[in-house]
C-alpha cells in the first residue's frame, strides 16, 4: 500500500518533484556530480548536532587508499563502547561532513565513541571497494582509538546504503571469531539489490527516493554496464549474492533495531529483514514512522519530533541488555 506522507514534507516534495521532472526532461537527471550535490544540499534542512567533548579527524589506509575517518568521543574520561557509523547515499553520495550532526547525536544517544568513515564511492570505486574500506575499519578500529579508553562492546549503525553495509558486514563476519558485533542499528536500510519488494512499486515515485534512481545507483555501484562484458559473470547472480536480505540468517547475528518509513520504497525490505532476523532467533526491534519518507534523518528541521524520537529509540535499544 502506498504511504500517506506527513504534511510537513509536502512543500519540499512538491519542489523536489518539479525539479526531478525538469532534470529528466533536460537529460541531466542521473549525473554523479549533480546527485552528490543535491544530497549535500540537504544539509540546510538538518538540525545541527549537539556538542561532543572530543572530535578528531584522522584516516586509515586501505589498499594504498587514504580513507578519512572522524572520531566522536562524548566522554574521554570514561571507558565507553564503540559505534561504527556508516553513512547513506546509495553507495555513490554522502560524506562524514554531511552526516556530522547524525554522528554527534549517535554519540550522545548511544553514549559511545562513534567512528564515521568516508568510505570510497561508486562509480569511481565500484563494489566492493567501499565495503572493503568498512571491513578494514571493523577489523582495525582499535588501532584508531589508541590512547582512548573503550570497552569491548561494539555497535554498528547505518541508514540506507549504510544499512546495506552494516548487514553485509554482519553476514560476511558471522564465522569470523575475531569479530563480535553486539548490536546493529538500521535506519531505512537498503538490503535487497534485486528491488523485488512491493513497496518499490508502491512508493517508487514522488517520495524523494525514486525507483529509477535506485536502479541507476545500483548500476553504478555494481558496474553493471561492464561486468558481464568483462567477466562473463551474471549481473543477476551478483546482485542476488550481494543482497543481505537474500543471504543466510543466523542466530549469532547481533541484536538488531530496524527503523523504517511508511512512504519509503525500501519500507518492505527493511520490515522483511527484521522478520528474518527474528525467525533466526535473534532479538530484534522494528519501529515504523508511517508518514515519513526515505532520508528523513537528513530533513530533521522539517520533522524534528520524529527525528528526536529516532534517537530515543536508539538510546532505549542500546540501554536494553
Amino acid at each position: 500500500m502506498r504511504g500517506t506522507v506527513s504534511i510537513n514534507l509536502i512543500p519540499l516534495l512538491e519542489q523536489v518533484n518539479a525539479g526531478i521532472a525538469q532534470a529528466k526532461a533536460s537529460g541531466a537527471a542521473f549525473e554523479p556530480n549533480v546527485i552528490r550535490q543535491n544530497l549535500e544540499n540537504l544539509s540546510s534542512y538538518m538540525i545541527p548536532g549537539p556538542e561532543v567533548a572530543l572530535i578528531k579527524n584522522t584516516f586509515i589506509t586501505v589498499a594504498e587508499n587514504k580513507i578519512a575517518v572522524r572520531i566522536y568521543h562524548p566522554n574521554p574520561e570514561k571507558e565507553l563502547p564503540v559505534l561504527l557509523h556508516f553513512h547513506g547515499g546509495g553507495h555513490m553520495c554522502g560524506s562524514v561532513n554531511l552526516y556530522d550532526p547524525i554522528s554527534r547525536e549517535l554519540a550522545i544517544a548511544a553514549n559511545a565513541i562513534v567512528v564515521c568513515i568516508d568510505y570510497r564511492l561508486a562509480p569511481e570505486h565500484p563494489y566492493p571497494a567501499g565495503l572493503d574500506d568498512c571491513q578494514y575499519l571493523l577489523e582495525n578500529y582499535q588501532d584508531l582509538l589508541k590512547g582512548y579508553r573503550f570497552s569491548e562492546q561494539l555497535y554498528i549503525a547505518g541508514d540506507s546504503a549504510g544499512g546495506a553495509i552494516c548487514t553485509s558486514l554482519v553476514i560476511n563476519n558471522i564465522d569470523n571469531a575475531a569479530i563480535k558485533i553486539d548490536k546493529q542499528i538500521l535506519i531505512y536500510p537498503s538490503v535487497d539489490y534485486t528491488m523485488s519488494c512491493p513497496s518499490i512499486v508502491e512508493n517508487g515515485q514522488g517520495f524523494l527516493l525514486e525507483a529509477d534512481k535506485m536502479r541507476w545507483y545500483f548500476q553504478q555501484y555494481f558496474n553493471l554496464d561492464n561486468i558481464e562484458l568483462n567477466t562473463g559473470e551474471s549481473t543477476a547472480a551478483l546482485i542476488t549474492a550481494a543482497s543481505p536480505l537474500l543471504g543466510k540468517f543466523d542466530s549469532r547475528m547481533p541484536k538488531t533495531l530496524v527503523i523504517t518509513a511508511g512512504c519509503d520504497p525500501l519500507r518492505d525490505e527493511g520490515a522483511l529483514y527484521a522478520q528474518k532476523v527474528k525467525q533466526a532467533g535473534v532479538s530484534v526491534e522494528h519501529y515504523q514512522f508511517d508518514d515519513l519518507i526515505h532520508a528523513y534523518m537528513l530533513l530533521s528541521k522539517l520533522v524534528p519530533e520524529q527525528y528526536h524520537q529516532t534517537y530515543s529509540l536508539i538510546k532505549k535499544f542500546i540501554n536494553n541488555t
Side-chain angles (χ1 to χ4, degrees):
M1 179 182 293
R2 182 171 173 84
T4 302
V5 74
S6 165
I7 59 172
N8 295 341
L9 294 169
I10 289 175
L12 172 68
L13 289 177
E14 289 176 345
Q15 179 185 345
V16 168
N17 291 337
I20 289 173
Q22 185 176 6
K24 287 181 178 178
S26 68
F30 298 142
E31 295 180 5
N33 290 340
V34 173
I35 297 292
R36 286 170 179 162
Q37 189 57 55
N38 287 344
L39 190 69
E40 293 291 328
N41 289 345
L42 294 183
S43 61
S44 63
Y45 294 97
M46 297 178 73
I47 297 170
E51 290 296 318
V52 176
L54 183 150
I55 297 177
K56 178 183 177 182
N57 290 307
T58 183
F59 66 91
I60 57 177
T61 303
V62 185
E64 300 182 354
N65 294 282
K66 194 172 179 179
I67 310 298
V69 173
R70 186 172 295 169
I71 299 168
Y72 301 79
H73 201 319
N75 194 338
E77 304 303 314
K78 290 195 174 180
E79 181 181 281
L80 297 180
V82 176
L83 186 153
L84 306 182
H85 180 204
F86 306 108
H87 68 74
H91 301 291
M92 292 188 62
C93 316
S95 64
V96 165
N97 286 335
L98 177 63
Y99 274 73
D100 179 74
I102 296 174
S103 291
R104 290 169 178 262
E105 295 280 6
L106 285 171
I108 301 303
N111 194 29
I113 304 166
V114 168
V115 182
C116 191
I117 176 172
D118 253 334
Y119 56 85
R120 285 174 288 170
L121 300 173
E124 296 87 350
H125 304 283
Y127 175 87
L131 188 59
D132 288 346
D133 297 343
C134 298
Q135 175 68 31
Y136 185 91
L137 178 65
L138 179 64
E139 294 174 352
N140 298 281
Y141 71 88
Q142 297 96 333
D143 294 338
L144 284 174
L145 299 178
K146 283 180 179 175
Y148 302 124
R149 299 167 64 191
F150 56 93
S151 73
E152 294 183 356
Q153 286 286 112
L154 177 63
Y155 314 138
I156 58 176
D159 70 305
S160 193
I165 290 170
C166 287
T167 51
S168 297
L169 291 175
V170 165
I171 288 176
N172 293 347
N173 291 279
I174 202 72
D175 294 317
N176 185 349
I179 301 293
K180 184 181 183 299
I181 301 169
D182 295 284
K183 296 186 178 185
Q184 64 171 337
I185 298 159
L186 309 174
I187 304 173
Y188 37 81
S190 169
V191 290
D192 180 14
Y193 295 116
T194 70
M195 299 178 62
S196 5
C197 289
S199 58
I200 297 286
V201 175
E202 294 166 357
N203 292 331
Q205 194 168 4
F207 288 146
L208 190 64
L209 177 64
E210 302 207 328
D212 56 353
K213 182 187 283 188
M214 288 175 57
R215 197 169 288 108
W216 178 76
Y217 276 145
F218 298 160
Q219 188 175 31
Q220 308 306 304
Y221 182 46
F222 292 109
N223 197 21
L224 296 184
D225 286 340
N226 297 317
I227 193 161
E228 285 195 46
L229 180 65
N230 295 336
T231 70
E233 184 177 358
S234 163
T235 56
L238 174 65
I239 63 175
T240 297
S243 296
L245 184 64
L246 306 178
K248 182 182 177 183
F249 286 73
D250 190 289
S251 61
R252 295 171 293 169
M253 286 177 154
K255 294 179 180 178
T256 298
L257 171 65
V258 180
I259 299 173
T260 52
C263 302
D264 183 2
L266 305 186
R267 177 194 66 205
D268 291 352
E269 62 196 72
L272 188 53
Y273 182 87
Q275 181 181 326
K276 286 192 170 187
V277 170
K278 184 176 181 179
Q279 289 171 347
V282 177
S283 174
V284 61
E285 298 175 25
H286 174 212
Y287 187 91
Q288 181 161 294
F289 291 97
D290 288 335
D291 61 349
L292 295 191
I293 61 175
H294 194 80
Y296 76 83
M297 296 290 282
L298 305 180
L299 304 170
S300 48
K301 287 181 179 177
L302 302 181
V303 287
E305 182 180 346
Q306 296 96 321
Y307 178 70
H308 291 302
Q309 189 178 349
T310 298
Y311 293 111
S312 296
L313 291 167
I314 292 170
K315 182 176 182 178
K316 182 180 176 183
F317 172 70
I318 290 296
N319 290 335
N320 285 345
T321 55

